[in-house]
């Protein structure tokens, strides 16, 4: 049976250390890995190593960080820049511990101290390094494949969703036409049916818009601009008009808003979630929801926007869990998955702000979020917070 081969490039300018490593590898190969042949090439300069790698492949590099033509972290960075796919193990002698740790942090696979070196430790490190590197390469490849699949699925979802929205718009449009021009000719049940078609159509459109929004959060590059909250809220009111009518809610807001920056489609979803929850939970059994919207400057310069209701309020214990996924605002049995507030938290965090609620049982609630008054640098949506 033929032996497997491990090709090692040793970059070491100390002849004694180079000889010792060669001897250890040969001994370890014979005693602990008889089925493995280790071919080791030694060079004493970083430049020689770079020239060697132009025409030769190796499985792992043993790098001394103290070389005549490159010292410290710089030697590793040059090697990594030129040959990023080849794993590197640091062989440390007099190099500072902080430098060795920094090399590992920026990409070195492992490190060994020359004073503690043994044949068994050296051969094990080589095997582990190669296997770890192979696994990481496979994971990276799989991640790229999944990313490609996700992009394809995302494009498909957008196409289907837009087609459904188009058909939905036609359905609602025809229902609206009937409601506008033929209402007097319809019986009461027929008018109720037309009205229900229109309500369901608008609700379905909101659901599709939310799904498209969630999908776009992972793929869009966002840019913060000066927000026009008056326009944003006008759009939110359109999306919630049937819910507002059903609940007979009263909503008040200021004529003007303080300057704040954010990504308008995101902030629209924040307002939508807060107002939607206010319409669901912000009233009492015998009274419709009364929602008050406003904004004020905080001491740190951030702008706080809020929605205050006169509902039953929220206990201190429940407030701690509000902005987590799958958590309801109250225990009322109202349809919905309870994902809205967790989405709000992620949006606002990405926008450079914070979210929260001030509430007492029996005294209503005030849900708020903050935004910067000046233009921030927003993260790309591909790097959402880890809890997403």
């Amino acid at each position: 049976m033929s032996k497997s081969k491990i090709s090692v490039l040793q970059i070491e300018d100390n002849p004694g250390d180079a000889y010792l490593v060669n001897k250890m590898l040969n001994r370890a190969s014979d005693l602990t890995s008889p089925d493995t042949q280790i071919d080791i090439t030694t060079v004493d300069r970083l430049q020689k190593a770079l020239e060697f790698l132009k025409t030769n492949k190796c499985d792992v590099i043993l790098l001394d960080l103290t070389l005549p033509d490159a010292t410290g972290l710089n030697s590793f960075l040059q090697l990594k820049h030129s040959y990023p796919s080849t794993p590197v193990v640091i062989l440390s002698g007099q190099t500072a511990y902080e430098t060795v740790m920094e090399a590992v942090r920026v990409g070195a696979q492992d490190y060994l101290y020359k004073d503690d070196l043994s044949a068994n430790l050296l051969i094990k490190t080589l095997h582990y390094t190669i296997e770890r590197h192979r696994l990481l390469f496979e994971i990276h490849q799989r991640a790229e494949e999944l990313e490609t699949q996700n992009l394809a699925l995302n494009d498909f979802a957008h196409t289907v969703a837009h087609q459904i929205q188009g058909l939905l718009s036609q359905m609602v449009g025809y229902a609206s036409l009937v409601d506008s021009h033929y209402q007097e000719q319809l019986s009461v049940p027929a008018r109720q049916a037309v009205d229900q078609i229109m309500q369901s159509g608008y609700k379905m459109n909101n659901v599709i818009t939310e799904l498209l929004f969630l999908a776009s959060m992972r793929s869009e590059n966002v840019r913060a601009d000066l927000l026009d909250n008056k326009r944003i809220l006008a759009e939110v009111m359109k999306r919630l008009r049937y819910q507002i009518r059903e609940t007979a809610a009263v909503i008040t807001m200021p004529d003007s808003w303080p300057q704040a920056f954010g990504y308008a489609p995101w902030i629209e979803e924040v307002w939508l979630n807060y107002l939607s929850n206010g319409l669901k939970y912000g009233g009492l059994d015998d009274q419709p929801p009364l929602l008050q919207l406003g904004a004020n400057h905080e001491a740190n310069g951030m702008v706080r926007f809020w929605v205050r209701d006169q509902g039953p309020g929220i206990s201190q214990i429940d407030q701690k869990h509000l902005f987590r996924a799958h958590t309801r605002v109250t225990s009322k049995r109202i349809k919905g998955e309870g994902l809205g507030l967790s989405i709000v938290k992620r949006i606002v965090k990405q926008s450079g702000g914070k979210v929260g609620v001030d509430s007492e049982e029996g005294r209503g609630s005030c849900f708020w979020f903050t935004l910067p008054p000046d233009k921030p640098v927003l993260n790309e949506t591909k790097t959402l917070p880890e809890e997403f």
Side-chain angles (χ1 to χ4, degrees):
M1 183 173 64
S2 61
K3 290 186 176 183
S4 61
K5 291 184 180 182
I6 296 179
S7 176
V8 179
L9 173 62
Q10 180 182 202
I11 309 174
E12 173 62 71
D13 67 317
N14 185 311
D17 290 342
Y19 173 77
L20 182 62
V21 169
N22 270 272
K23 187 176 180 180
M24 285 182 178
L25 286 178
N26 289 328
R27 186 193 312 165
S29 180
D30 293 336
L31 297 178
T32 63
S33 302
D35 296 329
T36 303
Q37 177 183 331
I38 299 178
D39 295 330
I40 182 168
T41 301
T42 302
V43 295
D44 60 358
R45 299 289 190 276
L46 180 63
Q47 194 57 44
K48 290 182 180 178
L50 295 174
E51 290 296 326
F52 173 83
L53 290 169
K54 287 181 179 179
T55 55
N56 299 275
K57 291 185 178 180
C58 70
D59 298 305
V60 63
I61 297 172
L62 298 176
L63 174 65
D64 180 16
L65 292 179
T66 306
L67 299 168
D69 59 343
T71 58
L73 188 62
N74 183 55
S75 57
F76 170 73
L77 293 177
Q78 289 188 56
L79 199 60
K80 179 178 172 59
H81 175 74
S82 299
Y83 298 95
S85 62
T86 305
V88 178
V89 174
I90 304 298
L91 278 181
S92 176
Q94 302 300 319
T95 307
Y97 174 79
E98 293 78 10
T99 303
V100 175
M101 289 297 97
E102 182 64 15
V104 173
R105 190 189 71 79
V106 296
Q109 288 288 317
D110 210 336
Y111 68 94
L112 295 170
Y113 285 110
K114 292 179 180 179
D115 292 343
D116 301 328
L117 207 56
S118 67
N120 191 42
L121 177 61
L122 184 57
I123 195 67
K124 282 184 177 180
T125 300
L126 291 181
H127 281 295
Y128 290 157
T129 296
I130 293 170
E131 181 62 16
R132 188 187 308 120
H133 184 72
R134 183 188 66 79
L135 290 173
L136 288 173
F137 177 76
E138 289 182 358
I139 291 171
H140 179 71
Q141 264 194 327
R142 183 58 179 156
E144 288 186 340
E145 291 173 3
L146 290 174
E147 179 69 15
T148 301
Q149 292 174 11
N150 285 339
L151 289 173
L153 287 172
N154 192 51
D155 290 341
F156 175 75
H158 272 77
T159 300
V160 171
H162 284 300
Q163 288 178 346
I164 293 174
Q165 278 189 319
L167 296 171
L168 200 57
S169 295
Q170 292 183 34
M171 182 185 76
V172 173
Y174 282 119
S176 180
L177 179 66
V178 172
D179 183 62
S180 299
H181 296 280
Y182 303 101
Q183 190 177 70
E184 299 300 325
Q185 303 174 33
L186 299 175
S187 64
V188 173
R191 285 200 297 268
Q192 291 176 343
V194 170
D195 187 65
Q196 188 60 49
I197 291 171
M198 293 173 64
Q199 287 189 48
S200 298
Y202 281 114
K203 287 179 181 179
M204 287 174 64
N205 187 66
N206 282 340
V207 171
I208 295 170
T209 300
E210 289 277 342
L211 291 173
L212 285 171
F213 169 76
L214 288 174
S216 69
M217 282 188 72
R218 291 185 176 273
S219 59
E220 286 184 357
N221 291 332
V222 302
R223 186 183 69 183
D225 291 307
L226 183 63
L227 293 170
D228 183 352
N229 273 293
K230 194 171 183 179
R231 185 198 62 78
I232 290 172
L233 282 164
E235 186 61 31
V236 170
M237 295 302 171
K238 287 181 184 178
R239 293 173 64 180
L240 294 175
R241 58 184 170 275
Y242 280 105
Q243 195 174 343
I244 293 171
R245 191 179 76 177
E246 287 175 352
T247 59
V250 177
I251 302 175
T252 61
M253 66 183 75
D255 294 328
S256 61
W257 296 90
Q259 174 177 299
F261 279 81
Y263 184 51
W266 284 9
I267 305 308
E268 181 179 318
E269 295 302 320
V270 174
W271 280 117
L272 182 79
N273 274 288
Y274 274 1
L275 284 168
S276 178
N277 280 329
L279 294 171
K280 290 177 183 177
Y281 313 114
L284 299 174
D285 292 337
D286 57 343
Q287 297 178 4
L290 177 58
L291 306 181
Q292 182 184 5
L293 282 58
N296 57 273
H297 287 277
E298 295 189 322
N300 61 4
M302 297 289 283
V303 181
R304 176 183 288 213
F305 298 91
W306 43 266
V307 177
R308 182 177 289 117
D309 65 54
Q310 295 183 345
I314 305 165
S315 70
Q316 294 295 317
I317 294 176
D318 287 339
Q319 288 180 36
K320 296 178 181 179
H321 306 287
L322 277 178
F323 292 92
R324 297 178 184 176
H326 305 288
T327 299
R328 298 282 185 84
V329 176
T330 74
S331 59
K332 289 183 179 179
R333 299 177 67 84
I334 296 179
K335 293 180 180 180
E337 295 302 318
L339 291 174
L341 291 178
S342 65
I343 295 170
V344 164
K345 181 179 179 180
R346 291 155 195 163
I347 290 172
V348 175
K349 184 176 179 181
Q350 283 286 91
S351 303
K354 295 181 179 180
V355 297
V357 60
D358 301 319
S359 182
E360 292 182 34
E361 289 186 90
R363 304 189 67 176
S365 304
C366 181
F367 284 84
W368 54 266
F369 64 97
T370 63
L371 291 174
D374 301 308
K375 191 168 187 175
V377 178
L378 293 182
N379 294 327
E380 290 189 359
T381 56
K382 289 183 179 180
T383 56
L384 287 174
E386 62 277 2
E387 68 265 26
F388 196 89

